[in-house]
Amino acid sequence: MERNRPIYVRSTIVSVEQKSSNQWQLTDEGKSVVDNGSHEAIVFNTIPSDGMLQGELMSSVPNAKIGFSKAMSAGWIRMDKKAEGGPRVFRKVESIQDSVKECLEKIRSLNLDGITDAQKAEFKKRKLITSVKVNSFYVTKGEGFTLDIEKLEADLTAEMMANGSWKKKTFKPYNFKALGIMPPSGHLHPLLKVRAQYRQIFLEMGFAEMPTNNFIECSFWNFDSLFQPQQHPARDAHDTFFISDPANAHDFPKDYLERVKKTHSEGGYGSQGYKYDWKIEEAQKNILRTHTTAVSARMLYKLAQQKKFTPVKYFSIDRVFRNETLDATHLAEFHQIEGVVADYGLTLGDLMGIIYEFFKKLGITQLRFKPAYNPYTEPSMEIFSFHKGLKKWVEIGNSGVFRPEMLLPMGLPEDVSVIAWGLSLERPTMIKYGIDNIRDLIGPKVNLQMVYDNPICRLDK
Ligand code: PHE
């Protein structure tokens, strides 16, 4: 194919070069020297041929002090200290040449010929001139200079190729730095990104994920199996959402239910129990689960049904529901992260060690434990970490060793202990993504752009 001219991009229309230089400019005082003469010339001119009292001179001339000393050192005037009536000043020469004024005039017209650096320094010191930076643009015609602006082609189309019109077109230069169009894709919500990181940590530590796919739970697994008494305030409608349809659950492991009932009402396994009238009606009530520990209870019961006990490490990360007053940091639903370890002879030291290990993987190393109370753990500890931003200790989780009153009715061997800890997913997510109102993270007010724009979660380890 013969080509008359190559496909060209337009060459430069104008070229612009920026230069900056320093220029001397007169100060207001320098301008007044140009208009009225230098201070020393004014002093000289003020003195009449028979001289005058120094005091009179000093009070009648502006800037007399500097003018006087400059005129003295130039040898233009002299002083008679012992004159009658006080010190008198006289002209010492017939006429003077006001070179300061002349130099400043030249500087004003940007002509520095014959002005020495010493003079410039002197004028600068006397604050008659200052140096200013001047930016200039030198604009010249470029090789492609034109007075007609032609619209540049952005695309070389099949049509142009077919009809040959491309030969006469000028094409826009290809911008290799331009960002491409974002390919359409789904976006993970920040909570899901942080959840992925937590899941990764648990998997690295050898934990297996528990099935958490039941938001609806019955009170039995959410509370009773956890040795939480039926009068406990958390079981009140103020804290728990009850389901109206179906209101009750019916399918329970019979023997286990009996053992739970007995442990609550009469005690057993070395415990006195709560000594109250345990009612199945209360345990049957369907609710939205208030914690993922309900799932842990189901899993531990299942584990206890194995012929031979095997140690396990379980985790879960999923949604729970509480009938809370809503505010900037509380919603009626949130996510819990829970870790559970069951093995022979685990101690509080094991719990603390594993919690240290877990949080170390999150980049958190300063931890403190505070004794706490949970109906299902003894001992129980709240976990605090030092927040560098807030410069204080903040609560980041809850933990404990599950009580024998919970584990033994399930059928777990007596020498098996189960340690566990839990935390919310929202709190670390809000800290990580700098969100201070939970309603900006979940719910109808969420700005979807926030979901699109937020980067993937990388914990600072
Ligand atoms: N279930 C507790 C809560 O809801 C957390 C927790 C889990 C405490 C495991 C101890 C052991 O806050």
Side-chain angles (χ1 to χ4, degrees):
M1 183 170 86
E2 190 221 5
R3 256 165 59 163
N4 297 345
R5 64 186 185 108
I7 297 185
Y8 250 151
V9 295
R10 184 156 63 199
S11 49
T12 327
I13 297 175
V14 287
S15 48
V16 179
E17 198 189 339
Q18 185 183 355
K19 283 184 184 159
S20 63
S21 59
N22 285 318
Q23 218 174 64
W24 291 108
Q25 268 185 13
L26 302 196
T27 62
D28 285 348
E29 198 175 337
K31 283 179 199 151
S32 109
V33 167
V34 170
D35 294 341
N36 310 315
S38 66
H39 304 316
E40 49 269 47
I42 294 173
V43 163
F44 180 85
N45 291 330
T46 308
I47 301 171
S49 47
D50 55 344
M52 71 191 290
L53 284 173
Q54 192 201 17
E56 212 180 305
L57 171 72
M58 298 314 267
S59 59
S60 58
V61 179
N63 297 309
K65 224 174 146 192
I66 168 94
F68 180 81
S69 83
K70 292 283 172 193
M72 282 293 279
S73 55
W76 293 353
I77 59 173
R78 67 178 174 82
M79 185 159 77
D80 181 358
K81 281 191 183 160
K82 294 193 194 97
E84 223 176 289
R88 254 183 119 71
V89 280
F90 298 92
R91 289 187 179 187
K92 206 171 154 185
V93 292
E94 277 300 303
S95 63
I96 55 157
Q97 195 192 351
D98 193 353
S99 64
V100 172
K101 172 179 160 156
E102 285 164 11
C103 287
L104 291 184
E105 262 166 355
K106 279 175 123 184
I107 293 173
R108 182 157 74 171
S109 57
L110 301 178
N111 169 14
L112 295 180
D113 287 348
I115 299 176
T116 64
D117 286 348
Q119 279 173 312
K120 286 178 218 158
E122 159 80 3
F123 298 154
K124 191 175 173 216
K125 201 170 143 213
R126 286 181 67 175
K127 298 205 169 66
L128 301 175
I129 59 174
T130 55
S131 164
V132 290
K133 192 173 170 194
V134 179
N135 287 322
S136 326
F137 296 91
Y138 291 79
V139 182
T140 50
K141 288 181 184 176
E143 41 188 298
F145 183 79
T146 171
L147 292 174
D148 316 301
I149 300 290
E150 181 192 0
K151 194 167 176 299
L152 298 178
E153 288 301 332
D155 282 318
L156 175 63
T157 64
E159 204 191 331
M160 288 179 199
M161 306 271 279
N163 65 22
S165 65
W166 63 271
K167 292 177 195 163
K168 293 187 208 84
K169 305 255 184 222
T170 307
F171 289 85
K172 209 170 174 180
Y174 200 89
N175 180 2
F176 290 98
K177 289 187 183 138
L179 294 175
I181 297 168
M182 276 294 275
S185 71
H187 296 268
L188 286 181
H189 187 277
L191 279 174
L192 297 182
K193 296 178 190 171
V194 177
R195 185 179 72 171
Q197 284 284 299
Y198 276 92
R199 180 179 275 144
Q200 189 56 40
I201 288 171
F202 275 116
L203 294 174
E204 277 171 25
M205 291 173 74
F207 283 65
E209 190 161 9
M210 296 187 263
T212 50
N213 52 349
N214 58 312
F215 291 173
I216 296 176
E217 187 53 277
C218 60
S219 299
F220 179 77
W221 289 108
N222 195 87
F223 297 122
D224 297 280
S225 70
L226 288 160
F227 196 53
Q228 187 146 330
Q230 295 189 327
Q231 323 75 14
H232 193 279
R235 298 176 73 145
D236 200 76
H238 293 296
D239 295 295
T240 302
F241 289 114
F242 287 86
I243 305 291
S244 55
D245 187 19
N248 295 309
H250 302 283
D251 194 13
F252 301 106
K254 279 247 148 40
D255 297 351
Y256 174 48
L257 183 126
E258 282 308 318
R259 290 195 294 272
V260 169
K261 174 179 178 172
K262 193 158 174 286
T263 315
H264 278 243
S265 47
E266 295 166 30
Y269 313 101
S271 168
Q272 301 187 9
Y274 292 117
K275 299 203 162 62
Y276 70 96
D277 186 12
W278 188 88
K279 291 201 173 69
I280 178 120
E281 292 76 18
E282 202 56 51
Q284 281 181 312
K285 286 182 183 168
N286 279 329
I287 59 167
L288 291 177
R289 70 174 173 225
T290 65
H291 55 184
T292 46
T293 315
V295 178
S296 305
R298 279 182 181 271
M299 290 300 284
L300 289 169
Y301 172 75
K302 205 170 151 206
L303 177 69
Q305 306 321 299
Q306 288 181 7
K307 277 210 179 66
K308 190 172 172 350
F309 169 81
T310 44
V312 294
K313 291 195 271 187
Y314 289 148
F315 79 96
S316 66
I317 309 174
D318 210 343
R319 204 173 281 220
V320 300
F321 307 84
R322 290 186 194 172
N323 195 357
E324 300 223 45
T325 318
L326 311 187
D327 64 26
T329 52
H330 293 90
L331 287 183
E333 53 186 289
F334 61 99
H335 293 75
Q336 280 190 332
I337 303 169
E338 187 153 315
V340 179
V341 183
D343 202 348
Y344 294 105
L346 292 174
T347 65
L348 193 65
D350 292 304
L351 178 60
M352 290 167 80
I354 208 158
I355 288 172
Y356 267 112
E357 189 61 29
F358 174 77
F359 283 102
K360 197 168 90 189
K361 287 182 177 282
L362 292 166
I364 298 172
T365 49
Q366 271 177 289
L367 291 182
R368 273 185 189 169
F369 298 96
K370 182 180 153 193
Y373 172 77
N374 298 308
Y376 37 90
T377 53
E378 181 59 35
S380 312
M381 304 182 297
E382 281 168 359
I383 310 161
F384 286 75
S385 95
F386 190 75
H387 193 290
K388 289 194 190 102
L390 302 173
K391 291 201 177 63
K392 62 174 187 183
W393 291 88
V394 294
E395 196 199 322
I396 52 169
N398 187 357
S399 66
V401 182
F402 283 131
R403 297 185 76 108
E405 290 97 326
M406 165 184 162
L407 302 179
L408 296 178
M410 289 177 169
L412 284 167
E414 252 184 64
D415 45 356
V416 165
S417 317
V418 182
I419 55 181
W421 73 100
L423 54 144
S424 99
L425 178 64
E426 278 74 3
R427 190 172 221 173
T429 305
M430 287 170 74
I431 294 172
K432 184 81 207 163
Y433 287 94
I435 294 168
D436 51 18
N437 189 333
I438 198 162
R439 283 167 282 212
D440 294 334
L441 184 67
I442 3 180
K445 286 192 182 156
V446 166
N447 176 1
L448 282 181
Q449 203 59 42
M450 176 281 288
V451 178
Y452 299 161
D453 293 345
N454 268 324
I456 58 170
C457 169
R458 290 210 195 286
L459 301 165
D460 329 294
K461 296 182 209 175

